[in-house]
Amino acid sequence: MSYSWKKGMTIEDQWNAWAANNPVEEMPDIDTDVLKETIIKDLTFVSAMTVQEYTLYQKYQEVKFRYS
C-alpha cells in the first residue's frame, strides 16, 4: 500500500493514485453493529470526563500512537 503525493496534485489526482494502489474490492467490510457499539462505548467513556481530563487523555493517546 504505497502512495506518493506530488506537489500540485489535485484531490482527484490523489484519489486516483491512491485507488490504483488500494483496490476497494479487497478492503474488508465494516460491521455497522460492531462500529456502533464501539462508538457508543468510547463516547460513554469520554463523556464522563471533565474537559481537563479529556484533553489530557487525548494528548496521552496522541503520544502513545505516535511514539509506540
Side-chain angles (χ1 to χ4, degrees):
M1 291 170 100
S2 63
Y3 168 73
S4 163
W5 178 80
K6 294 174 182 62
K7 187 174 183 177
M9 290 178 77
T10 65
I11 296 293
E12 190 69 28
D13 293 339
Q14 292 177 42
W15 167 255
N16 291 333
W18 181 86
N21 292 314
N22 300 285
V24 175
E25 302 81 28
E26 295 177 11
M27 293 184 184
D29 290 334
I30 297 174
D31 183 6
T32 54
D33 291 333
V34 171
L35 180 61
K36 181 180 174 182
E37 289 301 318
T38 303
I39 291 171
I40 290 171
K41 181 181 173 186
D42 187 52
L43 290 176
T44 302
F45 175 70
V46 298
S47 69
M49 296 180 183
T50 65
V51 173
Q52 293 85 359
E53 288 174 317
Y54 179 74
T55 303
L56 181 60
Y57 174 74
Q58 286 296 97
K59 287 300 176 185
Y60 169 75
Q61 292 295 329
E62 182 182 328
V63 169
K64 182 179 165 187
F65 175 76
R66 187 171 291 174
Y67 305 107
S68 54

